[in-house]
């Protein structure tokens, strides 16, 4: 049996492990097919690919793009994307600029609240897709909170002094970038948005209409019951089912890397038409 993990993060965004170290961990943990899906960047894919080549893992080039749909922030995973595609990269550049501007505004608001410091500079490392987790780490390093979750709770969540909503791209546009790059658009962790059934169905209508092809049924943050509900929705909407841990590294993720729960019966896996490694290491088209 092939073990898949199609949602992971590295230091190219808010993960703890460098791309090569992440791939090494995944290999040790028995994963054979892994997607690197950093927030709004593909900067880690090349180095993950070299590591995967050395270790005999199959790397799926991916990205997790921040999008908005009405007043919700959604995460859309792009799998099998051509990372150099100009339409995808122009879109990601736009989000990188928005992320930097947002980090500056977060820093200003934190200063206005009495937390003196250049939190944007502290959060920004070269080549990184800067986000709230980096600001949280800087606040922890400065002693304003003991842990990253505490920094989120006290300063960075809605209603807190350092909260700034992201200015992401519309859902349909984001799916368009992924399609342009030849990828498959998968709605990440649908249960995390806390949408009522009717609203979730409306979201899936819009998602399918825009060209989305899959949803995460197994996700690090989903309960078994949520996975069963999402398996039913995947079937109803003729969507592929994906599996991903959303691993961010030791200390940042509740579960470690390793085999994920199996997809519930009746799901069509997102890898249905992929060319997959065989047990003997050769590559063949799955049927
Ligand atoms: P951003 O995209 O910059 O808004 O940051 C969102 C990221 O922050 C998510 O992908 C998570 O990795 C992380 N995150 C969100 N909420 C929390 C929290 N309460 N505690 C720790 N990390 C969080
Ligand atoms: Mn994250
Ligand atoms: Mn996410
Ligand atoms: Mn993620």
């Amino acid at each position: 049996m092939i073990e898949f993990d199609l949602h992971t993060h590295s230091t190219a965004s808010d993960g703890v492990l460098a791309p090569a170290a992440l791939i090494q961990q995944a290999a040790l943990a028995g994963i054979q097919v892994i997607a690197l899906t950093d927030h709004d960047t593909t900067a880690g894919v090349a180095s993950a690919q070299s590591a995967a080549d050395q270790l005999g893992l199959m790397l799926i080039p991916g990205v997790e793009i921040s999008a908005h749909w009405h007043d919700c922030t959604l995460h859309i995973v792009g799998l099998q994307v051509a990372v150099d595609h100009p339409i995808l990269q122009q879109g990601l550049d736009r989000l990188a600029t928005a992320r930097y501007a947002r980090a500056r505004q977060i820093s200003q608001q934190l200063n206005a609240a009495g937390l003196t410091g250049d939190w944007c500079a502290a959060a920004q490392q070269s080549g990184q897709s800067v986000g709230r987790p980096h600001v949280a780490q800087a606040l922890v390093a400065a002693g304003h909170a003991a842990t990253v979750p505490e920094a989120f709770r006290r300063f960075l969540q809605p209603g807190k002094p350092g909260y700034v909503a992201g200015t992401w791209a519309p859902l349909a546009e984001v799916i368009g970038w992924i399609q342009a790059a030849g990828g498959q658009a998968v709605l990440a962790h649908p249960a995390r948005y806390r949408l009522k059934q009717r609203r979730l169905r409306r979201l899936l209508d819009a998602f399918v209409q825009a060209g989305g092809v899959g949803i995460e049924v197994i996700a690090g943050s989903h309960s078994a019951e949520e996975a069963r509900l999402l398996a039913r929705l995947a079937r109803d909407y003729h969507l592929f089912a994906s599996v991903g841990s959303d691993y961010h590294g030791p200390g940042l993720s509740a579960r470690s890397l390793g085999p994920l729960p199996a997809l519930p019966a009746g799901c069509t896996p997102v890898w249905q038409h992929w060319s997959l490694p065989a047990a003997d290491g050769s590559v063949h088209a799955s049927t």
Side-chain angles (χ1 to χ4, degrees):
M1 209 175 104
I2 302 177
E3 299 291 349
F4 294 83
D5 188 342
L6 302 178
H7 186 152
T8 65
H9 294 274
S10 76
T11 47
S13 66
D14 58 355
V16 168
L17 300 176
L22 174 78
I23 300 303
Q24 274 159 19
Q25 282 295 316
L28 286 172
I31 300 294
Q32 279 100 37
V33 180
I34 184 167
L36 179 65
T37 56
D38 275 308
H39 296 286
D40 305 322
T41 181
T42 57
V45 169
S47 132
Q49 183 69 66
S50 323
D53 289 347
Q54 276 172 26
L55 294 162
L57 262 75
M58 180 173 178
L59 180 85
I60 307 300
V63 61
E64 180 179 17
I65 307 183
S66 312
H68 66 78
W69 177 71
H70 299 287
D71 57 348
C72 296
T73 292
L74 302 175
H75 287 174
I76 311 300
V77 163
L79 297 175
Q80 304 274 31
V81 289
V83 292
D84 292 333
H85 197 282
I87 290 179
L88 175 64
Q89 288 305 331
Q90 277 159 28
L92 298 183
D93 281 351
R94 211 173 98 195
L95 295 184
T97 306
R99 279 188 170 279
Y100 185 68
R102 174 180 179 237
R104 283 220 315 259
Q105 201 186 332
I106 290 175
S107 183
Q108 278 168 18
Q109 289 185 197
L110 288 172
N111 276 277
L115 282 78
T116 309
D118 184 347
W119 304 108
C120 179
Q124 176 82 359
Q125 287 171 30
S126 68
Q128 206 178 41
S129 174
V130 66
R132 286 183 295 162
H134 305 105
V135 178
Q137 279 153 22
L139 288 168
V140 169
H144 291 293
T147 63
V148 164
E150 186 194 326
F152 265 87
R153 261 196 317 278
R154 290 178 55 195
F155 306 114
L156 299 170
Q157 282 177 351
K160 297 303 157 91
Y163 178 71
V164 180
T167 41
W168 314 126
L171 173 65
E173 229 176 282
V174 165
I175 294 173
W177 304 343
I178 293 169
Q179 284 183 321
Q184 293 170 287
V186 172
L187 180 65
H189 42 64
R192 276 261 292 279
Y193 310 122
R194 305 263 160 255
L195 301 173
K196 299 245 165 63
Q197 273 275 341
R198 268 187 58 185
R199 193 120 197 272
L200 180 55
R201 286 185 173 269
R202 228 169 278 149
L203 164 59
L204 291 177
D205 287 333
F207 179 73
V208 169
Q209 170 85 23
V213 299
I215 61 173
E216 286 182 351
V217 169
I218 302 295
S221 58
H222 286 171
S223 68
E225 193 188 331
E226 286 167 338
R228 278 194 296 276
L229 166 74
L230 290 164
R232 272 204 303 279
L233 285 171
R235 255 197 339 253
D236 287 359
Y237 284 82
H238 304 290
L239 286 160
F240 288 119
S242 189
V243 304
S245 62
D246 205 359
Y247 186 69
H248 282 70
L252 271 195
S253 293
R255 68 156 69 225
S256 53
L257 278 177
L260 290 160
L263 281 170
C267 288
T268 307
V270 68
W271 55 84
Q272 173 96 337
H273 302 298
W274 296 359
S275 293
L276 293 169
D280 63 2
S282 64
V283 172
H284 68 95
S286 69
T287 51

